[in-house]
Every structure is written in C-alpha cells, then in structure tokens.
Amino acid sequence: FFFFNSCCLLKRMKLAIFVFALLVGCAFAALSHPKAVNIPVKKMTPEEGRQWKNIKNAIGGTYNEYLKDTDATEYYGLIEIGTPKQAFTTIMDTGSSNLWVPANTCTDKACNGKNKYNPSASSTYVANGKPIVIHYGTGSMQGNLVYDDVTVGGLEVTKQEFAQATSLATFFTGSPFDGILGLAYQSISADNVPTFFDNAVKQNGIDSVFSFYLDSQSGSNSSVLTFGGYDTSYFSGTITYHQLFLDVGDYYMIQWDGVSVGTTTIDPQCGTLGCRAIVDTGTSFIIGPNRVISEILSDLNVNSNCNGVDSLPDITFTIGNNNYAIPSSIYVIRETNLLGNT
C-alpha cells in the first residue's frame, strides 16, 4: 500500500500544474513559428479509453475486466476466444472453476440469442472431444472439451482447455450472458480441467491474486474484475484479510462469527465447525439454513410493495474482529411487475 501525505500531494499537484502551464506556453510559442505543424487531437471513445487503461494496467502487472450488471444481481464481462477473436459475455464466478460458452451446434431453447463458439472459424482451435457435464445449483450444461486461445481484459492464455456447450438447462434461457468463467480452484473443476486464472498466472507471470469491485447500483456498469492484484482507485483505506478454510471443500470459504439485524442478535447455531460461508460472485443472494434466514426475514419484516424499505435496519455480519454492515439499499432487490408496480 502507498500512503501520501496531503501536503506532499498538494505540492505535487502544484508542480504538475506548473509543468502543464509551461508546456502550454511552449506549445503556443511553437505555433508562432513559421514551420509549426498543427497535430489534430481526437477524443477517445469509451471503448478506446478502456483499452488504453488496460494497456497502462498491463505495464503495472494488472489487467482490468470491466463488468456489466443486471439489477445488481448478475455481473458479467467480455471474453474473447480464438483467432480471429470471437466475443462472449460470461459470469465471472468464484463459486465454480470451469469456463464454457455455447457451441454453434447447440439448438436448445436456452442457447437462442446467445453468441456461439465456432471452432472451424478459429485457426488456433485444437480438438479434444472429451464429453463433459457441469452441474450448478440452478441447472447444468452438457458439451465437449476443446482448446483455444482465450483473452479476458487484455490477459491472454494460449491453448486454454474449456467446454463448448451443446445443451443447456432451462434456467439459462433468456439470460443476458452467454456462459460462465469459473475462478475457483482446479480441484473442484469438472473433469479436473485447468482453470483460466491458473494458466494466466503461469503464462503471463502475474501475481496469483484477483479482486472484484461490484457496484450495488443497478445498471451502473461500473464494476470491475482485476487480475494480478487490485486497483486502488476503487477503494480507500486498507484491505482486511480473512483466512480461507479448505477442510470441507476447496471453495473460497470463510468463517463468520455472528449476524444481527439492527440491534437484534441472531443465534446461527453453527455447531463445532463454526459458521462457514462461501464467497461467491456468481450469486448475489444471502443463502443459509432455513431457520436462520427465516429469522432474519422475520426481524426485517420487508413490505412486499417496498414501502419503508429505506428505513429498514442494517444486516451486520461479524467476521473475525470486523463488523460488515449491509444497508437495505443493497440487500433488498426492487423489481417491477408487468403492471408497473414495485
């Protein structure tokens, strides 16, 4: 971490302004010369700006993948596969480990409207042919494994093994994303397929660290996944680290010590192992035992028409010595029905 004294920062700003003024003065002076040449300056488009920021980040060893969201509940980003590149949107999922996108041979209703991978159109495609089935809590996919080059946020992996889906569960019908990019450990990867991130670390020499900034404002599209470290422009203060527990499964599992609704403490009755929870970017819901969740909902007493939502108490999770308060603006999802009612 880097901490700057405000006085020093102010001096640097003054120096930067002075240098800028000097350069501007020189520029105007140069234009008065008979051999002066005017160079047109074009404002970058948002996409060009993102590409330029990716280049700057890559110099520093990090790569930013900018994410879109649906109702601040699903966060997905652009990935590119093959040569020439074929574009797809995928959920960036810390709760699974496989990468898959729909195959151009998928005729299921759930594949309609999605971008589909065409291996014959890629010169870097390598056949594998091994069948694969991946199960999720909400459905499954079936397909076969292939190899091709994959790029995410400017970070490229050559000959990445992944699945092309020839059949998708009904759950995926109409989803705004094409597939899933798993970011968990290889040990829970279906068919033990090496993960994109592990290969990215090996091939590009980046630090084995990635970080998320997930904006809770629906439709802001300002969330980001950073590979190789973290982007300090998305937070202030210091980072708090918590231990991962891998004794009951290789997930990003932490232990939490308590939960309360406002001033009411809820006893989770977690048993001898303590309270364990998986940090999963693939879902935006708080999921837990029926009794605990029912007690939380009972204490909140959320109106179905959302009246009084803004005055609801925080839900606070205690992890180690830290309390993390979640306000109602984040934990309540406002949806509009067909009649236009919230």
Side-chain angles (χ1 to χ4, degrees), residues 91 93 96-100 132-134 136 141 145 161-163 180-186 188-196:
I91 292 284
D93 183 22
S96 67
S97 302
N98 291 85
L99 166 62
W100 64 265
I132 186 172
V133 178
I134 305 174
Y136 300 94
M141 64 74 65
L145 294 171
E161 189 175 13
F162 66 96
I180 295 177
L181 174 62
L183 293 168
Y185 296 106
Q186 183 179 343
I188 62 170
S189 172
D191 286 23
N192 199 37
V193 174
T195 69
F196 168 83

Side-chain angles (χ1 to χ4, degrees), residues 113-288:
K114 298 186 185 301
N115 296 304
K116 300 177 182 179
Y117 173 65
N118 183 0
S120 63
S122 174
S123 62
T124 45
Y125 156 75
V126 178
N128 178 311
K130 184 178 179 181
I132 186 172
V133 178
I134 305 174
H135 296 280
Y136 300 94
T138 51
S140 63
M141 64 74 65
Q142 298 180 38
N144 54 74
L145 294 171
V146 297
Y147 298 95
D148 210 334
D149 298 347
V150 178
T151 302
V152 184
L155 181 63
E156 183 176 34
V157 169
T158 59
K159 203 176 180 181
Q160 172 65 42
E161 189 175 13
F162 66 96
Q164 54 173 351
T166 55
S167 179
L168 290 178
T170 304
F171 167 80
F172 295 106
T173 303
S175 64
F177 54 89
D178 301 312
I180 295 177
L181 174 62
L183 293 168
Y185 296 106
Q186 183 179 343
S187 56
I188 62 170
S189 172
D191 286 23
N192 199 37
V193 174
T195 69
F196 168 83
F197 184 63
D198 283 348
N199 284 336
V201 171
K202 293 174 184 176
Q203 294 185 20
N204 295 275
I206 62 173
D207 289 341
S208 185
V209 177
F210 63 81
S211 56
F212 280 87
Y213 169 77
L214 301 180
D215 196 319
S216 59
Q217 181 179 347
S218 177
S220 70
N221 297 332
S222 59
S223 301
V224 66
L225 163 61
T226 301
F227 293 108
Y230 48 84
D231 191 329
T232 56
S233 65
Y234 287 92
F235 69 93
S236 59
T238 59
I239 293 178
T240 300
Y241 293 89
H242 295 288
Q243 180 181 353
L244 293 179
F245 292 83
L246 306 177
D247 53 331
V248 290
D250 291 345
Y251 293 90
Y252 298 119
M253 185 179 295
I254 60 173
Q255 182 165 308
W256 51 280
D257 302 286
V259 60
S260 61
V261 177
T263 58
T264 303
T265 300
I266 294 174
D267 181 8
Q269 299 178 8
C270 293
T272 56
L273 284 178
C275 301
R276 302 286 179 87
I278 296 171
V279 181
D280 182 4
T281 58
T283 178
S284 295
F285 297 103
I286 299 172
I287 302 172

Side-chain angles (χ1 to χ4, degrees), residues 13-25:
M13 290 176 63
K14 289 181 177 179
L15 178 60
I17 292 171
F18 171 74
V19 172
F20 175 73
L22 183 61
L23 290 174
V24 170

